[in-house]
């Protein structure tokens, strides 16, 4: 039996009664949102063969099944990044397991740097599209035609329909919501000021080291994907302060309250 099928069987056994169709991936410093779930059941990635085990502070590596507003939802707390590995098989195992569990929609959140003076730390940017400058693609290698096509269409990689729903909710809750292009670099260095200038010239609005591999894998296997960049800092060269991961975690806290309100309503509307 293949790993995602095996993992899904194991997870189903541990989470009887839960049947979520929405999974929400929580990025750096955003994991606390999962604390608001009721009846929750946690499964550590480390307990599942073939799953990605994060190595970065602020990333636990857990699936948390629970209920919010009477809806079943799955939070993915913590993620592995492209800079932690050369092997995307564990990323694929995780996403394919979601699919095997009956998940239809994936919403990702990612700590990111802002490329705009008027989008300060604490802002939320709905991702309208991405530019993959990571120098990798998780679908490199032989294609499994049973999973998805060799040449997947990426015209609606960040679901237009879902974005409209999120924008409506933000409007109702009076939460300022930006929308723009996520410019993905592999890291692990933060960018140089010259790289940030390039990102802006090429059409990026926020810069980050995640979101894109998951997005590609999930689109390839037929999930609907949407997500937001959580602005934790101005990008390199835009502020005097030195960039650090502590900075990212502190910046995420600024956005956490609004993001939490937004996602709760999104879950309720799902
Ligand atoms: N650059 C890349 N990734 C990030 C940043 C940044 O400025 N902030 C948080 N994640």
């Amino acid at each position: 039996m293949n790993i995602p099928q095996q993992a899904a069987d194991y997870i189903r056994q541990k989470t009887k009664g839960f049947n979520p169709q929405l999974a929400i991936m929580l990025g750096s410093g955003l994991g606390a949102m999962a604390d608001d779930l009721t009846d929750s059941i946690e499964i550590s990635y480390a307990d599942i063969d073939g799953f990605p085990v994060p190595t970065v502070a602020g990333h636990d590596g857990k699936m948390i099944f629970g209920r919010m507003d009477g809806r079943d939802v799955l939070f993915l707390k913590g993620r592995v990044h492209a800079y932690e590995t050369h092997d995307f098989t564990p990323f694929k195992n995780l996403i394919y397991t979601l699919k095997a569990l009956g998940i239809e929609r994936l919403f990702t959140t990612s700590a990111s740097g802002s490329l705009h003076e008027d989008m300060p730390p604490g802002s939320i940017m709905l991702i309208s599209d991405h530019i993959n400058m990571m120098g990798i693609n998780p679908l490199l290698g032989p294609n499994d035609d049973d999973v998805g096509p060799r040449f997947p269409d990426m015209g609606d990689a960040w679901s237009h329909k879902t974005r409209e729903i999120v924008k409506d909710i933000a409007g109702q809750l009076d939460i300022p919501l930006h929308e723009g292009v996520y410019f993905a670099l592999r890291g692990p260095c933060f960018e140089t000021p010259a790289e940030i200038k390039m990102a802006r010239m090429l059409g990026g609005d926020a810069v980050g080291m995640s979101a894109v591999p998951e997005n590609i894998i999930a689109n390839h296997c037929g999930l609907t994907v949407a997500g937001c960049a959580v602005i934790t800092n101005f990008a390199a060269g835009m502020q005097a302060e030195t960039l650090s991961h502590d900075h990212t975690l502190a910046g995420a806290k600024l956005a956490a309250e609004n993001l939490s309100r937004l996602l709760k309503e999104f879950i309720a509307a799902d």
Side-chain angles (χ1 to χ4, degrees):
M1 207 191 318
N2 66 21
I3 287 179
Q5 205 52 57
Q6 233 163 6
D9 287 350
Y10 170 80
I11 293 163
R12 251 189 234 111
Q13 219 179 14
K14 295 212 144 211
T15 60
K16 285 202 175 96
F18 283 104
N19 194 16
Q21 284 158 16
L22 171 67
I24 299 183
M25 194 175 272
L26 299 172
S28 292
L30 300 166
M33 207 162 293
D35 298 346
D36 295 338
L37 288 173
T38 54
D39 306 323
S40 59
I41 298 176
E42 294 191 6
I43 300 176
S44 173
Y45 291 177
D47 293 342
I48 304 178
D49 275 347
F51 262 39
V53 180
T55 62
V56 176
H59 285 272
D60 279 352
K62 279 181 193 166
M63 293 180 130
I64 309 178
F65 288 77
R67 295 203 170 89
M68 217 175 241
D69 248 331
R71 311 246 165 191
D72 290 357
V73 62
L74 167 57
F75 277 113
L76 303 167
K77 198 170 170 183
R79 57 149 67 83
V80 169
H81 301 81
Y83 56 75
E84 291 175 87
T85 183
H86 293 284
D87 178 11
F88 287 91
T89 312
F91 283 60
K92 289 183 180 165
N93 287 339
L94 171 63
I95 306 279
Y96 296 164
T97 301
L98 299 183
K99 175 100 180 166
L101 284 169
I103 295 288
E104 292 176 2
R105 294 174 288 286
L106 175 66
F107 193 93
T108 63
T109 61
S110 315
S112 316
S114 172
L115 301 185
H116 297 289
E117 300 288 351
D118 63 356
M119 190 165 68
S123 304
I124 302 173
M125 186 191 91
L126 194 56
I127 301 176
S128 59
D129 205 345
H130 70 237
I131 298 175
N132 179 11
M133 293 291 265
M134 287 185 155
I136 52 96
N137 188 306
L139 304 182
L140 286 173
N143 188 57
D144 183 345
D145 294 336
D146 290 335
V147 173
R150 170 76 287 188
F151 303 108
D153 178 72
M154 293 292 280
D156 195 34
W158 298 91
S159 163
H160 178 78
K161 200 170 151 203
T162 310
R163 276 188 279 136
E164 292 306 311
I165 295 169
V166 176
K167 281 192 271 188
D168 273 356
I169 294 172
Q172 283 160 27
L173 298 180
D174 214 11
I175 293 174
L177 187 67
H178 299 257
E179 191 172 15
V181 173
Y182 182 90
F183 194 93
L185 287 156
R186 192 171 187 182
C189 307
F190 285 106
E191 300 70 34
T192 63
E195 286 164 345
I196 291 304
K197 201 167 160 188
M198 170 192 76
R200 201 179 291 114
M201 284 168 66
L202 293 181
D205 297 297
V207 67
M209 306 175 198
S210 63
V212 166
E214 298 88 315
N215 177 285
I216 292 173
I217 296 165
N219 269 291
H220 177 239
C221 72
L223 298 184
T224 299
V225 191
C228 53
V230 175
I231 303 300
T232 57
N233 55 278
F234 283 118
M238 293 176 69
Q239 62 179 19
E241 269 175 275
T242 310
L243 291 176
S244 70
H245 188 55
D246 287 345
H247 213 124
T248 300
L249 295 179
K253 281 206 180 113
L254 294 175
E257 193 189 327
N258 272 344
L259 186 66
S260 178
R261 288 171 60 219
L262 190 66
L263 287 181
K264 273 183 190 155
E265 210 51 44
F266 177 62
I267 291 164
D270 187 55

